[in-house]
Amino acid sequence: MNLNDVEILYDRETVKEKVKELGKKISEDYQGKNLLLVGILKGAFVFMADLIREIDIPLELDFMDVSSYGMSTVSSGEVRILKDLDYSIKDKDVLVVEDIIDTGLTLKYIKDMLLKRGPKSVRTCCLLDKPARRTTDINPDYVGFIIPDEFIVGYGIDYAEKYRNYQDICILKPSVYQK
Ligand code: IMP
Ligand code: MG
């Protein structure tokens, strides 16, 4: 591990406390409902794994893998589905679990698409929110941390598929990706 590449933004203990808090809130809000968590791969898989263990009501989970069309720096808002859900979401109370919301284009696309499949409700939960770069009117229903406009890695989140295994939420030093 090259820890010189990163700076810790939220350490593992702080993240653990926040995930616990989110799980408690979700458990209260979804009491008696038909909760289905939909994790967005791959970035949300670590968050999802910890979050479900902080929720103490019955739940189901599924995953979806998406990628943005076009250039990596300019999102067109159109999203390609690489892996769709395994099951129907009809009559489910869907909670989409995402790592980061930035422009909001990805989450908006996913939410609009899921709403057409006849769920009872669709809400969203993002571990990290970068409101500075939002170009859509979507705001997540549950947010872990509101963060500055920095490039984040760790706790499942990658840069070029690396750093997902770091246990803390970190800022990737610009010198790494500006080389
Ligand atoms: P949006 O469509 O602009 O909201 O992009 C959200 C997606 O971009 C997230 O699901 C992440 O996969 C990715 N993303 C945004 N910011 C970062 C970051 O700081 N580090 C790693 N991935 C990011
Ligand atoms: Mg993503």
Side-chain angles (χ1 to χ4, degrees):
M1 301 233 275
N2 189 356
L3 294 171
N4 292 328
D5 287 354
V6 301
E7 193 185 301
I8 294 177
L9 180 61
Y10 300 110
D11 65 32
R12 61 201 75 177
E13 289 309 319
T14 308
V15 175
K16 193 167 193 234
E17 279 313 302
K18 183 60 76 177
V19 173
K20 197 176 266 190
E21 207 179 285
L22 286 169
K24 186 163 180 280
K25 184 90 190 359
I26 291 165
S27 304
E28 288 164 6
D29 293 355
Y30 284 86
Q31 199 86 51
K33 300 206 158 131
N34 229 341
L35 178 59
L36 170 70
L37 297 174
V38 169
I40 307 303
L41 296 170
K42 301 175 210 157
F45 85 106
V46 174
F47 175 39
M48 180 90 155
D50 285 345
L51 182 65
I52 59 165
R53 287 175 288 175
E54 299 294 349
I55 298 177
D56 62 5
I57 56 168
L59 62 82
E60 292 169 43
L61 64 87
D62 207 341
F63 288 97
M64 182 175 264
D65 191 3
V66 300
S67 87
S68 296
Y69 273 121
M71 308 279 289
S72 59
T73 48
V74 195
S75 185
S76 62
E78 213 175 320
V79 171
R80 191 159 48 109
I81 298 174
L82 301 177
K83 183 218 167 289
D84 206 336
L85 298 174
D86 290 337
Y87 302 108
S88 162
I89 60 170
K90 191 144 182 23
D91 300 325
K92 303 280 184 190
D93 289 296
V94 175
L95 183 60
V96 179
V97 177
E98 174 63 310
D99 53 357
I100 303 184
I101 178 166
D102 188 17
T103 64
L105 289 165
T106 307
L107 202 57
K108 187 170 167 53
Y109 185 91
I110 291 170
K111 189 174 175 184
D112 289 348
M113 180 185 59
L114 294 180
L115 278 168
K116 291 179 193 147
R117 298 185 184 183
K120 199 152 177 221
S121 65
V122 179
R123 300 175 88 191
T124 56
C125 174
C126 289
L127 179 61
L128 305 173
D129 183 357
K130 278 188 201 175
R133 284 169 37 95
R134 195 82 88 258
T135 59
T136 53
D137 57 5
I138 188 166
N139 280 308
D141 299 287
Y142 301 90
V143 172
F145 303 99
I146 295 177
I147 59 164
D149 186 14
E150 304 274 7
F151 199 88
I152 303 299
V153 295
Y155 198 67
I157 302 164
D158 75 308
Y159 168 64
E161 295 300 327
K162 300 263 173 24
Y163 305 98
R164 293 193 198 274
N165 54 327
Y166 284 25
Q167 295 197 50
D168 308 297
I169 294 178
C170 302
I171 293 174
L172 186 65
K173 291 185 182 161
S175 56
V176 178
Y177 52 90
Q178 282 167 358
K179 290 198 265 232

